[in-house]
Protein backbone atom coordinates (compact mmCIF):
# COMPACT_ATOMS: atom_id res chain seq x y z
CA UNK A 1 0.00 0.00 0.00
CA UNK A 2 1.32 3.49 -0.83
CA UNK A 3 2.05 6.13 1.79
CA UNK A 4 -0.83 8.04 0.25
CA UNK A 5 -3.43 5.35 0.94
CA UNK A 6 -5.29 4.48 4.14
CA UNK A 7 -7.93 1.80 4.65
CA UNK A 8 -11.46 1.55 6.03
CA UNK A 9 -12.15 5.07 7.16
CA UNK A 10 -15.17 7.22 6.61
CA UNK A 11 -15.60 9.85 3.94
CA UNK A 12 -18.33 12.44 4.40
CA UNK A 13 -19.35 14.79 1.62
CA UNK A 14 -20.49 18.44 1.88
CA UNK A 15 -24.06 17.27 2.51
CA UNK A 16 -23.04 15.01 5.42
CA UNK A 17 -23.72 11.90 3.35
CA UNK A 18 -21.11 9.33 4.23
CA UNK A 19 -19.53 6.19 2.89
CA UNK A 20 -16.78 3.79 3.97
CA UNK A 21 -14.36 3.33 1.09
CA UNK A 22 -12.11 0.28 1.31
CA UNK A 23 -9.16 2.61 0.64
CA UNK A 24 -8.75 6.39 0.66
CA UNK A 25 -5.82 7.78 -1.30
CA UNK A 26 -4.45 11.32 -1.09
CA UNK A 27 -1.57 11.33 -3.58
CA UNK A 28 0.93 14.20 -3.42
CA UNK A 29 2.40 13.72 -6.88
CA UNK A 30 1.48 12.28 -10.25
CA UNK A 31 3.86 9.40 -9.54
CA UNK A 32 1.96 8.60 -6.33
CA UNK A 33 -1.34 8.84 -8.17
CA UNK A 34 -0.05 6.38 -10.77
CA UNK A 35 0.90 3.97 -7.98
CA UNK A 36 -2.54 4.36 -6.38
CA UNK A 37 -4.18 3.40 -9.67
CA UNK A 38 -1.86 0.44 -10.19
CA UNK A 39 -2.43 -0.87 -6.66
CA UNK A 40 -6.21 -0.47 -6.92
CA UNK A 41 -6.17 -2.38 -10.20
CA UNK A 42 -4.09 -5.07 -8.51
CA UNK A 43 -6.68 -5.42 -5.73
CA UNK A 44 -9.50 -5.55 -8.29
CA UNK A 45 -10.90 -2.37 -6.72
CA UNK A 46 -12.52 0.37 -8.75
CA UNK A 47 -11.38 3.97 -8.37
CA UNK A 48 -13.57 6.99 -7.76
CA UNK A 49 -11.78 10.31 -7.83
CA UNK A 50 -13.60 13.04 -5.91
CA UNK A 51 -13.30 16.76 -5.34
CA UNK A 52 -14.79 18.40 -2.26
CA UNK A 53 -17.96 16.28 -2.35
CA UNK A 54 -20.28 19.17 -3.14
CA UNK A 55 -22.46 16.98 -5.38
CA UNK A 56 -25.91 16.62 -3.86
CA UNK A 57 -26.29 13.01 -4.94
CA UNK A 58 -24.08 9.95 -4.49
CA UNK A 59 -21.52 10.90 -7.17
CA UNK A 60 -18.75 11.32 -4.60
CA UNK A 61 -19.54 8.16 -2.60
CA UNK A 62 -17.98 4.72 -2.98
CA UNK A 63 -17.23 1.56 -1.03
CA UNK A 64 -14.11 0.91 -3.13
CA UNK A 65 -11.03 3.12 -3.64
CA UNK A 66 -11.63 6.84 -3.20
CA UNK A 67 -8.97 9.24 -4.46
CA UNK A 68 -8.85 12.91 -3.58
CA UNK A 69 -6.53 15.42 -5.21
CA UNK A 70 -6.48 17.66 -2.12
CA UNK A 71 -2.67 17.79 -2.32
CA UNK A 72 -2.62 18.25 -6.09
CA UNK A 73 -3.99 21.77 -5.97
CA UNK A 74 -1.19 23.97 -7.31
CA UNK A 75 -1.45 26.80 -9.82
CA UNK A 76 0.97 25.72 -12.55
CA UNK A 77 0.89 28.68 -14.91
CA UNK A 78 -0.90 31.97 -15.49
CA UNK A 79 -0.82 33.65 -18.89
CA UNK A 80 -2.28 37.09 -18.26
CA UNK A 81 -2.05 38.18 -21.92
CA UNK A 82 -3.84 35.09 -23.26
CA UNK A 83 -6.27 34.96 -20.33
CA UNK A 84 -5.42 31.36 -19.41
CA UNK A 85 -4.66 29.68 -16.11
CA UNK A 86 -3.41 26.10 -15.75
CA UNK A 87 -4.04 24.50 -12.37
CA UNK A 88 -3.94 21.03 -10.87
CA UNK A 89 -7.29 19.25 -10.67
CA UNK A 90 -7.64 19.53 -6.89
CA UNK A 91 -7.44 23.35 -6.80
CA UNK A 92 -10.52 24.91 -5.19
CA UNK A 93 -12.39 27.63 -7.03
CA UNK A 94 -12.46 29.95 -3.99
CA UNK A 95 -8.66 29.94 -3.71
CA UNK A 96 -8.32 30.39 -7.46
CA UNK A 97 -10.55 33.48 -7.33
CA UNK A 98 -8.09 35.06 -4.89
CA UNK A 99 -5.09 34.09 -7.01
CA UNK A 100 -6.76 35.44 -10.15
CA UNK A 101 -7.70 38.71 -8.44
CA UNK A 102 -4.02 39.15 -7.59
CA UNK A 103 -3.33 39.13 -11.34
CA UNK A 104 -6.35 41.37 -12.14
CA UNK A 105 -8.14 38.36 -13.63
CA UNK A 106 -11.38 36.51 -12.84
CA UNK A 107 -13.55 33.58 -13.88
CA UNK A 108 -16.10 34.79 -16.42
CA UNK A 109 -18.79 32.99 -14.47
CA UNK A 110 -19.29 30.98 -11.29
CA UNK A 111 -22.21 29.11 -9.76
CA UNK A 112 -23.72 29.80 -6.35
CA UNK A 113 -20.68 28.48 -4.48
CA UNK A 114 -16.92 28.37 -5.00
CA UNK A 115 -16.19 25.55 -2.58
CA UNK A 116 -15.73 22.96 -5.33
CA UNK A 117 -12.53 21.81 -6.98
CA UNK A 118 -11.95 22.87 -10.55
CA UNK A 119 -11.95 19.24 -11.76
CA UNK A 120 -15.10 18.37 -9.79
CA UNK A 121 -16.92 21.45 -11.05
CA UNK A 122 -16.18 20.84 -14.72
CA UNK A 123 -16.84 17.10 -14.44
CA UNK A 124 -20.56 17.65 -13.72
CA UNK A 125 -21.12 20.67 -15.99
CA UNK A 126 -21.34 23.19 -13.14
CA UNK A 127 -22.78 26.45 -14.42
CA UNK A 128 -23.81 29.93 -13.39
CA UNK A 129 -26.39 31.92 -15.30
CA UNK A 130 -26.48 33.95 -18.50
CA UNK A 131 -27.31 32.99 -22.07
CA UNK A 132 -23.88 34.11 -23.26
CA UNK A 133 -21.97 32.76 -20.25
CA UNK A 134 -20.55 29.30 -20.79
CA UNK A 135 -20.29 26.90 -17.88
CA UNK A 136 -16.90 26.26 -16.26
CA UNK A 137 -16.58 23.17 -18.43
CA UNK A 138 -17.35 25.35 -21.44
CA UNK A 139 -14.41 27.64 -20.51
CA UNK A 140 -11.88 24.79 -20.49
CA UNK A 141 -9.10 25.18 -23.06
CA UNK A 142 -7.18 21.99 -22.28
CA UNK A 143 -7.07 19.09 -19.84
CA UNK A 144 -4.48 16.70 -18.54
CA UNK A 145 -5.93 13.24 -17.93
CA UNK A 146 -4.35 10.29 -16.18
CA UNK A 147 -5.76 7.17 -17.80
CA UNK A 148 -6.34 3.74 -16.27
CA UNK A 149 -2.91 2.51 -17.40
CA UNK A 150 -1.22 5.43 -15.62
CA UNK A 151 -0.35 7.28 -18.82
CA UNK A 152 -0.91 11.02 -19.09
CA UNK A 153 -2.76 12.67 -21.98
CA UNK A 154 -2.71 16.40 -22.71
CA UNK A 155 -6.02 17.00 -24.44
CA UNK A 156 -7.37 20.06 -26.25
CA UNK A 157 -9.87 20.74 -29.01
CA UNK A 158 -6.94 20.86 -31.44
CA UNK A 159 -4.95 17.84 -30.24
CA UNK A 160 -7.80 15.36 -29.75
CA UNK A 161 -11.23 16.87 -30.39
CA UNK A 162 -13.23 13.74 -29.51
CA UNK A 163 -11.51 13.04 -26.21
CA UNK A 164 -11.63 16.75 -25.35
CA UNK A 165 -15.40 16.99 -25.83
CA UNK A 166 -15.91 13.70 -24.00
CA UNK A 167 -13.61 14.45 -21.06
CA UNK A 168 -14.61 18.02 -20.23
CA UNK A 169 -17.77 16.76 -18.47
CA UNK A 170 -17.28 13.08 -17.71
CA UNK A 171 -18.03 12.36 -14.01
CA UNK A 172 -14.58 10.86 -13.51
CA UNK A 173 -15.48 7.93 -15.76
CA UNK A 174 -12.69 8.40 -18.32
CA UNK A 175 -9.75 9.04 -16.02
CA UNK A 176 -8.39 11.44 -13.45
CA UNK A 177 -8.42 15.10 -14.48
CA UNK A 178 -5.01 16.02 -13.10
CA UNK A 179 -4.75 19.53 -14.58
CA UNK A 180 -7.07 22.01 -16.22
CA UNK A 181 -6.27 25.00 -18.42
CA UNK A 182 -9.21 27.35 -18.22
CA UNK A 183 -10.02 30.65 -19.91
CA UNK A 184 -10.26 33.65 -17.61
CA UNK A 185 -11.10 37.31 -18.22
CA UNK A 186 -9.86 40.67 -16.95
CA UNK A 187 -11.13 41.25 -13.41
CA UNK A 188 -14.56 42.87 -13.32
CA UNK A 189 -17.08 44.31 -10.94
CA UNK A 190 -20.67 43.09 -10.89
CA UNK A 191 -23.64 45.25 -10.08
CA UNK A 192 -26.57 43.01 -9.12
CA UNK A 193 -30.05 44.44 -8.94
CA UNK A 194 -32.74 42.30 -7.25
CA UNK A 195 -36.31 43.31 -7.93
CA UNK A 196 -39.58 41.90 -6.63
CA UNK A 197 -42.07 41.14 -9.44
CA UNK A 198 -45.27 39.13 -9.76
CA UNK A 199 -45.15 35.44 -10.65
CA UNK A 200 -46.67 36.25 -14.04
CA UNK A 201 -43.94 38.83 -14.74
CA UNK A 202 -41.32 36.31 -13.66
CA UNK A 203 -42.77 33.69 -16.01
CA UNK A 204 -42.85 36.16 -18.89
CA UNK A 205 -39.15 36.90 -18.32
CA UNK A 206 -38.32 33.18 -18.33
CA UNK A 207 -40.07 32.95 -21.71
CA UNK A 208 -38.23 35.98 -23.06
CA UNK A 209 -35.09 36.53 -20.97
CA UNK A 210 -33.49 39.99 -21.16
CA UNK A 211 -30.00 40.43 -22.60
CA UNK A 212 -28.30 40.94 -19.26
CA UNK A 213 -24.90 39.41 -18.48
CA UNK A 214 -26.15 37.25 -15.62
CA UNK A 215 -29.90 37.00 -15.19
CA UNK A 216 -31.96 34.65 -13.05
CA UNK A 217 -35.42 34.49 -11.51
CA UNK A 218 -36.38 33.17 -8.07
CA UNK A 219 -39.99 32.02 -7.54
CA UNK A 220 -41.31 31.93 -3.98
CA UNK A 221 -43.68 28.93 -3.65
CA UNK A 222 -47.32 29.60 -2.66
CA UNK A 223 -47.06 33.33 -3.32
CA UNK A 224 -47.50 35.70 -6.22
CA UNK A 225 -43.89 36.75 -5.78
CA UNK A 226 -40.80 36.27 -7.89
CA UNK A 227 -37.48 38.09 -7.62
CA UNK A 228 -35.43 38.89 -10.69
CA UNK A 229 -31.69 39.06 -10.19
CA UNK A 230 -29.85 40.98 -12.91
CA UNK A 231 -26.08 41.29 -12.67
CA UNK A 232 -24.19 43.49 -15.13
CA UNK A 233 -20.42 43.66 -15.39
CA UNK A 234 -18.29 46.79 -15.24
CA UNK A 235 -14.56 47.41 -15.40
CA UNK A 236 -12.99 46.69 -12.05
CA UNK A 237 -12.28 50.36 -11.37
CA UNK A 238 -16.00 51.09 -10.84
CA UNK A 239 -16.56 52.27 -7.28
CA UNK A 240 -17.80 49.53 -4.95
CA UNK A 241 -20.25 50.49 -2.24
CA UNK A 242 -19.41 49.28 1.25
CA UNK A 243 -20.80 45.74 1.39
CA UNK A 244 -20.72 44.89 5.07
CA UNK A 245 -24.38 45.67 5.73
CA UNK A 246 -25.47 43.96 2.52
CA UNK A 247 -23.44 40.83 3.24
CA UNK A 248 -24.94 40.62 6.72
CA UNK A 249 -28.42 41.04 5.28
CA UNK A 250 -27.79 38.38 2.62
CA UNK A 251 -26.34 35.98 5.14
CA UNK A 252 -29.24 36.67 7.55
CA UNK A 253 -31.81 36.10 4.80
CA UNK A 254 -30.23 32.96 3.42
CA UNK A 255 -29.06 31.26 6.58
CA UNK A 256 -30.87 32.82 9.56
CA UNK A 257 -34.32 33.23 8.12
CA UNK A 258 -34.12 30.14 5.94
CA UNK A 259 -33.01 27.91 8.77
CA UNK A 260 -35.93 29.16 10.90
CA UNK A 261 -38.17 28.45 7.91
CA UNK A 262 -36.70 24.95 7.81
CA UNK A 263 -37.80 24.29 11.37
CA UNK A 264 -41.37 25.22 10.39
CA UNK A 265 -41.21 23.12 7.21
CA UNK A 266 -40.06 20.06 9.16
CA UNK A 267 -42.37 20.38 12.16
CA UNK A 268 -45.45 21.99 10.67
CA UNK A 269 -45.34 21.44 6.89
CA UNK A 270 -48.89 22.69 6.42
CA UNK A 271 -47.82 26.06 7.78
CA UNK A 272 -45.36 26.63 4.92
CA UNK A 273 -47.74 28.41 2.48
CA UNK A 274 -48.76 30.98 5.12
CA UNK A 275 -45.15 31.42 6.21
CA UNK A 276 -44.03 31.98 2.60
CA UNK A 277 -46.78 34.56 2.10
CA UNK A 278 -45.46 36.36 5.17
CA UNK A 279 -41.92 36.23 3.80
CA UNK A 280 -43.10 37.65 0.49
CA UNK A 281 -43.90 40.88 2.35
CA UNK A 282 -40.27 41.38 3.33
CA UNK A 283 -38.35 44.03 1.38
CA UNK A 284 -36.46 42.24 -1.40
CA UNK A 285 -35.36 45.00 -3.76
CA UNK A 286 -31.67 45.71 -3.49
CA UNK A 287 -28.56 46.75 -5.40
CA UNK A 288 -25.14 45.35 -4.62
CA UNK A 289 -21.80 46.07 -6.27
CA UNK A 290 -18.67 44.05 -5.62
CA UNK A 291 -15.85 41.98 -7.07
CA UNK A 292 -17.43 39.47 -9.46
CA UNK A 293 -16.83 36.28 -7.44
CA UNK A 294 -18.30 37.87 -4.31
CA UNK A 295 -21.52 38.57 -6.20
CA UNK A 296 -21.73 35.17 -7.91
CA UNK A 297 -21.31 33.20 -4.70
CA UNK A 298 -24.22 33.08 -2.24
CA UNK A 299 -23.39 32.60 1.45
CA UNK A 300 -25.26 29.27 1.69
CA UNK A 301 -24.58 27.14 4.75
CA UNK A 302 -27.99 25.60 5.54
CA UNK A 303 -28.40 21.90 4.76
CA UNK A 304 -30.70 21.56 1.79
CA UNK A 305 -31.52 19.22 -1.05
CA UNK A 306 -32.30 20.15 -4.60
CA UNK A 307 -33.02 19.06 -8.15
CA UNK A 308 -32.42 20.78 -11.46
CA UNK A 309 -33.31 20.06 -15.07
CA UNK A 310 -31.90 21.81 -18.13
CA UNK A 311 -34.90 22.29 -20.40
CA UNK A 312 -34.58 23.59 -23.99
CA UNK A 313 -34.90 27.37 -23.90
CA UNK A 314 -38.15 27.43 -25.86
CA UNK A 315 -39.82 25.19 -23.26
CA UNK A 316 -38.45 26.99 -20.21
CA UNK A 317 -41.61 28.90 -19.40
CA UNK A 318 -43.73 25.75 -19.72
CA UNK A 319 -41.36 23.88 -17.41
CA UNK A 320 -41.48 26.58 -14.74
CA UNK A 321 -45.26 26.75 -15.05
CA UNK A 322 -45.38 22.96 -14.62
CA UNK A 323 -43.24 23.30 -11.49
CA UNK A 324 -45.58 25.94 -10.04
CA UNK A 325 -48.60 23.75 -10.93
CA UNK A 326 -46.93 20.79 -9.21
CA UNK A 327 -46.52 22.93 -6.08
CA UNK A 328 -50.25 23.70 -6.14
CA UNK A 329 -51.29 20.10 -6.70
CA UNK A 330 -48.88 18.22 -4.42
CA UNK A 331 -48.47 20.89 -1.67
CA UNK A 332 -44.80 20.15 -0.79
CA UNK A 333 -43.31 21.97 2.24
CA UNK A 334 -41.06 24.11 0.01
CA UNK A 335 -39.84 27.01 2.11
CA UNK A 336 -36.93 27.94 -0.17
CA UNK A 337 -37.31 29.86 -3.43
CA UNK A 338 -37.07 28.00 -6.76
CA UNK A 339 -34.07 29.17 -8.78
CA UNK A 340 -34.39 29.49 -12.57
CA UNK A 341 -31.25 30.16 -14.61
CA UNK A 342 -30.18 30.33 -18.24
CA UNK A 343 -27.36 28.63 -20.14
CA UNK A 344 -26.02 28.73 -23.69
CA UNK A 345 -25.48 25.53 -25.69
CA UNK A 346 -22.32 23.67 -24.68
CA UNK A 347 -20.11 21.30 -26.66
CA UNK A 348 -19.11 18.75 -24.02
CA UNK A 349 -20.74 15.50 -25.12
CA UNK A 350 -22.30 14.78 -21.72
CA UNK A 351 -22.93 18.37 -20.71
CA UNK A 352 -26.65 18.72 -19.81
CA UNK A 353 -26.62 21.79 -22.07
CA UNK A 354 -25.08 19.91 -24.99
CA UNK A 355 -26.17 21.53 -28.24
CA UNK A 356 -29.16 23.25 -26.62
CA UNK A 357 -29.49 26.64 -24.95
CA UNK A 358 -31.42 25.88 -21.79
CA UNK A 359 -33.45 27.14 -18.92
CA UNK A 360 -32.23 25.47 -15.71
CA UNK A 361 -35.32 24.78 -13.65
CA UNK A 362 -34.50 24.10 -10.02
CA UNK A 363 -36.08 23.80 -6.62
CA UNK A 364 -34.50 23.41 -3.19
CA UNK A 365 -35.88 22.30 0.14
CA UNK A 366 -34.74 21.80 3.70
CA UNK A 367 -33.14 18.49 4.57
CA UNK A 368 -35.68 16.11 6.10
CA UNK A 369 -38.92 17.31 4.49
CA UNK A 370 -40.94 15.10 2.13
CA UNK A 371 -41.25 16.56 -1.37
CA UNK A 372 -41.19 13.27 -3.29
CA UNK A 373 -44.59 13.62 -5.02
CA UNK A 374 -43.67 17.14 -6.14
CA UNK A 375 -40.28 16.08 -7.48
CA UNK A 376 -41.81 13.15 -9.40
CA UNK A 377 -44.34 15.46 -11.03
CA UNK A 378 -41.75 18.08 -12.04
CA UNK A 379 -39.33 15.48 -13.33
CA UNK A 380 -42.08 14.03 -15.54
CA UNK A 381 -42.89 17.48 -16.91
CA UNK A 382 -39.23 18.36 -17.53
CA UNK A 383 -38.60 15.02 -19.25
CA UNK A 384 -41.65 15.51 -21.48
CA UNK A 385 -40.18 18.88 -22.47
CA UNK A 386 -36.81 17.38 -23.44
CA UNK A 387 -35.00 18.24 -20.20
CA UNK A 388 -31.77 16.69 -18.93
CA UNK A 389 -31.04 16.42 -15.19
CA UNK A 390 -28.03 18.08 -13.56
CA UNK A 391 -25.46 15.33 -13.05
CA UNK A 392 -24.67 16.41 -9.49
CA UNK A 393 -28.24 16.77 -8.23
CA UNK A 394 -30.56 13.88 -7.32
CA UNK A 395 -32.83 12.60 -10.10
CA UNK A 396 -34.55 9.34 -10.90
CA UNK A 397 -32.95 8.62 -14.28
CA UNK A 398 -30.54 5.78 -14.97
CA UNK A 399 -28.30 5.09 -17.96
CA UNK A 400 -31.05 3.59 -20.19
CA UNK A 401 -33.15 6.76 -19.66
CA UNK A 402 -30.20 9.12 -20.07
CA UNK A 403 -28.68 7.58 -23.21
CA UNK A 404 -31.41 8.80 -25.60
CA UNK A 405 -31.06 12.35 -24.22
CA UNK A 406 -27.43 12.64 -25.32
CA UNK A 407 -26.73 12.38 -29.07
CA UNK A 408 -23.05 11.58 -28.43
CA UNK A 409 -23.71 8.96 -25.75
CA UNK A 410 -22.52 5.98 -27.80
CA UNK A 411 -19.32 7.74 -28.86
CA UNK A 412 -18.65 8.60 -25.23
CA UNK A 413 -19.15 4.96 -24.24
CA UNK A 414 -16.91 3.74 -27.05
CA UNK A 415 -14.12 6.06 -25.88
CA UNK A 416 -14.69 4.99 -22.29
CA UNK A 417 -14.37 1.32 -23.24
CA UNK A 418 -11.18 1.91 -25.22
CA UNK A 419 -9.48 4.13 -22.60
CA UNK A 420 -10.50 2.06 -19.59
CA UNK A 421 -10.99 -1.48 -20.90
CA UNK A 422 -10.93 -3.10 -17.45
CA UNK A 423 -13.42 -0.64 -15.94
CA UNK A 424 -10.99 0.77 -13.34
CA UNK A 425 -12.87 4.06 -12.98
CA UNK A 426 -16.35 3.70 -11.53
CA UNK A 427 -18.68 3.32 -8.58
CA UNK A 428 -22.24 2.20 -7.94
CA UNK A 429 -23.41 5.72 -8.81
CA UNK A 430 -21.40 5.84 -12.05
CA UNK A 431 -22.83 2.42 -12.99
CA UNK A 432 -26.33 3.78 -12.48
CA UNK A 433 -25.84 7.02 -14.41
CA UNK A 434 -23.49 5.87 -17.16
CA UNK A 435 -23.87 2.10 -17.10
CA UNK A 436 -20.94 -0.24 -16.67
CA UNK A 437 -18.27 -0.18 -19.30
CA UNK A 438 -19.83 -3.02 -21.27
CA UNK A 439 -23.58 -3.00 -20.63
CA UNK A 440 -24.66 0.31 -22.15
CA UNK A 441 -22.40 0.70 -25.12
CA UNK A 442 -25.04 -0.47 -27.56
CA UNK A 443 -27.98 1.55 -26.26
CA UNK A 444 -29.33 3.24 -29.38
CA UNK A 445 -29.76 7.00 -29.45
CA UNK A 446 -33.21 8.20 -30.33
C1 LIG B 1 -23.90 24.95 -1.94
C2 LIG B 1 -23.78 24.40 -3.33
C3 LIG B 1 -24.01 25.23 -4.41
C4 LIG B 1 -23.91 24.74 -5.71
N1 LIG B 1 -24.16 25.59 -6.74
C5 LIG B 1 -24.12 25.13 -8.02
C6 LIG B 1 -24.39 26.01 -9.11
O1 LIG B 1 -24.64 27.21 -8.93
N2 LIG B 1 -24.37 25.49 -10.36
C7 LIG B 1 -24.12 24.17 -10.60
O2 LIG B 1 -24.15 23.76 -11.77
N3 LIG B 1 -23.82 23.32 -9.58
C8 LIG B 1 -23.82 23.77 -8.31
N4 LIG B 1 -23.51 22.92 -7.27
C9 LIG B 1 -23.09 21.55 -7.59
C10 LIG B 1 -21.55 21.44 -7.66
O3 LIG B 1 -20.99 22.44 -8.46
C11 LIG B 1 -21.16 20.07 -8.26
O4 LIG B 1 -21.64 19.07 -7.43
C12 LIG B 1 -19.65 19.90 -8.45
O5 LIG B 1 -19.44 18.77 -9.25
C13 LIG B 1 -18.94 19.70 -7.11
O6 LIG B 1 -17.55 19.71 -7.27
P1 LIG B 1 -16.65 18.89 -6.24
O7 LIG B 1 -15.25 19.35 -6.37
O8 LIG B 1 -17.25 18.95 -4.90
O9 LIG B 1 -16.77 17.42 -6.87
P2 LIG B 1 -17.42 16.11 -6.24
O10 LIG B 1 -18.81 16.38 -5.85
O11 LIG B 1 -16.51 15.55 -5.22
O12 LIG B 1 -17.39 15.15 -7.53
C14 LIG B 1 -18.26 15.41 -8.59
C15 LIG B 1 -17.93 14.53 -9.78
O13 LIG B 1 -16.70 14.96 -10.35
C16 LIG B 1 -15.79 13.86 -10.47
N5 LIG B 1 -14.44 14.36 -10.20
C17 LIG B 1 -14.03 15.10 -9.14
N6 LIG B 1 -12.71 15.35 -9.24
C18 LIG B 1 -12.28 14.76 -10.39
C19 LIG B 1 -11.02 14.65 -11.03
N7 LIG B 1 -9.91 15.21 -10.54
N8 LIG B 1 -10.96 13.96 -12.18
C20 LIG B 1 -12.06 13.39 -12.72
N9 LIG B 1 -13.28 13.46 -12.15
C21 LIG B 1 -13.39 14.13 -11.00
C22 LIG B 1 -16.25 12.87 -9.41
O14 LIG B 1 -15.86 11.56 -9.74
C23 LIG B 1 -17.75 13.05 -9.45
O15 LIG B 1 -18.31 12.28 -10.47
C24 LIG B 1 -23.57 23.38 -5.95
C25 LIG B 1 -23.32 22.54 -4.86
C26 LIG B 1 -23.43 23.05 -3.56
C27 LIG B 1 -23.17 22.14 -2.40
Amino acid sequence: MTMATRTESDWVNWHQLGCRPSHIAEPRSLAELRTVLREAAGRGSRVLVVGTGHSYNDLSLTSETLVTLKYLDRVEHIDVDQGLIRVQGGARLAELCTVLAGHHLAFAVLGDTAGQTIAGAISTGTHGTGLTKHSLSGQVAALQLMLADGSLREVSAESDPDLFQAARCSLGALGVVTAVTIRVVPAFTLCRVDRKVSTEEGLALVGDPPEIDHFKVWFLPYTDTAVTSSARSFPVSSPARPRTAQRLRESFLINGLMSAAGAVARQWPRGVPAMNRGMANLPMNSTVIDRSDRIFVLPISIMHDTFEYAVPLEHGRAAVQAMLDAIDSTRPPLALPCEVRFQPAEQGWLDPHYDQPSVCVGAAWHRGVDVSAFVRRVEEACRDLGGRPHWAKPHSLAAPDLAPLYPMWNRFQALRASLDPTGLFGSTAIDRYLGTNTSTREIPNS
Side-chain angles (χ1 to χ4, degrees), residues 40-162:
R43 290 192 301 273
S45 168
R46 292 191 299 174
V47 170
L48 181 72
V49 56
V50 300
T52 46
H54 271 62
S55 296
Y56 289 85
N57 54 12
D58 50 358
L59 265 185
S60 66
L61 305 181
T62 183
S63 58
E64 301 182 62
T65 299
L66 182 144
V67 179
T68 113
L69 301 193
K70 64 195 271 196
Y71 296 118
L72 294 176
D73 63 347
R74 273 187 305 107
V75 175
E76 293 187 340
H77 183 66
I78 300 182
D79 185 334
V80 176
D81 294 335
Q82 295 292 317
L84 292 170
I85 178 170
R86 178 176 160 113
V87 299
Q88 290 186 303
R92 288 177 65 245
L93 297 177
E95 270 90 55
L96 293 177
C97 288
T98 308
V99 171
L100 287 170
H103 290 79
H104 307 291
L105 295 169
F107 288 113
V109 76
L110 286 172
D112 293 339
T113 185
Q116 316 94 318
T117 61
I118 186 93
I122 67 167
S123 295
T124 60
T126 294
H127 62 86
T129 190
L131 275 173
T132 58
K133 302 296 171 190
H134 287 280
S135 67
L136 285 160
S137 153
Q139 317 270 355
V140 169
L143 291 169
Q144 184 188 60
L145 266 186
M146 186 175 284
L147 301 178
D149 62 4
S151 62
L152 280 177
R153 287 265 186 104
E154 299 287 341
V155 191
S156 68
E158 295 72 38
S159 72
D160 191 339
D162 278 11

Side-chain angles (χ1 to χ4, degrees), residues 65-362:
T65 299
L66 182 144
V67 179
T68 113
L69 301 193
K70 64 195 271 196
Y71 296 118
L72 294 176
D73 63 347
R74 273 187 305 107
V75 175
E76 293 187 340
H77 183 66
I78 300 182
D79 185 334
V80 176
D81 294 335
Q82 295 292 317
L84 292 170
I85 178 170
R86 178 176 160 113
V87 299
Q88 290 186 303
R92 288 177 65 245
L93 297 177
E95 270 90 55
L96 293 177
C97 288
T98 308
V99 171
L100 287 170
H103 290 79
H104 307 291
L105 295 169
F107 288 113
V109 76
L110 286 172
D112 293 339
T113 185
Q116 316 94 318
T117 61
I118 186 93
I122 67 167
S123 295
T124 60
T126 294
H127 62 86
T129 190
L131 275 173
T132 58
K133 302 296 171 190
H134 287 280
S135 67
L136 285 160
S137 153
Q139 317 270 355
V140 169
L143 291 169
Q144 184 188 60
L145 266 186
M146 186 175 284
L147 301 178
D149 62 4
S151 62
L152 280 177
R153 287 265 186 104
E154 299 287 341
V155 191
S156 68
E158 295 72 38
S159 72
D160 191 339
D162 278 11
L163 182 53
F164 181 66
Q165 301 305 357
R168 70 200 311 192
C169 175
S170 53
L171 313 183
L174 297 183
V176 185
V177 175
T178 44
V180 179
T181 305
I182 191 158
R183 290 190 189 85
V184 291
V185 297
F188 60 103
T189 297
L190 273 179
C191 172
R192 194 189 72 215
V193 178
D194 291 349
R195 198 166 62 87
K196 205 194 282 197
V197 298
S198 68
T199 300
E200 189 48 42
E201 278 176 274
L203 278 168
L205 288 164
V206 172
D208 185 15
E211 286 178 19
I212 291 173
D213 297 334
H214 306 275
F215 177 74
K216 64 169 96 164
V217 188
W218 301 91
F219 290 87
L220 187 56
Y222 302 109
T223 72
D224 183 27
T225 300
V227 175
T228 59
S229 183
S230 313
R232 294 175 197 272
S233 32
F234 294 92
V236 82
S237 53
S238 304
R241 292 185 194 172
R243 280 265 286 147
T244 318
Q246 282 148 346
R247 274 169 191 273
L248 283 173
R249 174 180 165 277
E250 226 169 58
S251 183
F252 168 71
L253 264 180
I254 292 181
N255 296 311
L257 206 59
M258 294 303 171
S259 88
V264 173
R266 273 185 290 271
Q267 278 158 34
W268 188 43
R270 287 163 66 179
V272 166
M275 178 180 67
N276 286 7
R277 284 192 287 274
M279 278 202 275
N281 291 322
L282 292 173
M284 291 177 187
N285 293 349
S286 68
T287 300
V288 289
I289 303 178
D290 209 336
R291 200 173 86 181
S292 56
D293 54 297
R294 296 184 185 138
I295 295 287
F296 286 133
V297 170
L298 303 174
I300 313 169
S301 62
I302 55 164
M303 276 298 140
H304 61 281
D305 289 307
T306 184
F307 78 81
E308 183 185 299
Y309 266 71
V311 174
L313 188 59
E314 62 275 21
H315 299 313
R317 180 182 174 141
V320 176
Q321 183 65 65
M323 177 167 69
L324 298 177
D325 292 346
I327 293 173
D328 284 343
S329 58
T330 64
R331 313 296 289 173
L334 284 183
L336 298 173
C338 303
E339 188 179 28
V340 175
R341 295 183 278 183
F342 303 86
Q343 270 303 108
E346 302 289 355
Q347 291 181 291
W349 287 354
L350 292 194
D351 195 303
H353 311 280
Y354 176 76
D355 209 22
Q356 72 186 23
S358 317
V359 174
C360 311
V361 180

Side-chain angles (χ1 to χ4, degrees), residues 366-400:
H366 293 87
R367 173 74 45 90
V369 303
D370 179 11
V371 296
S372 46
F374 161 73
V375 171
R376 264 197 307 278
R377 192 72 62 88
V378 188
E379 272 205 273
E380 268 167 34
C382 288
R383 287 186 67 185
D384 287 348
L385 293 167
R388 300 175 181 140
H390 193 305
W391 287 113
K393 302 185 179 181
H395 59 83
S396 64
L397 305 196

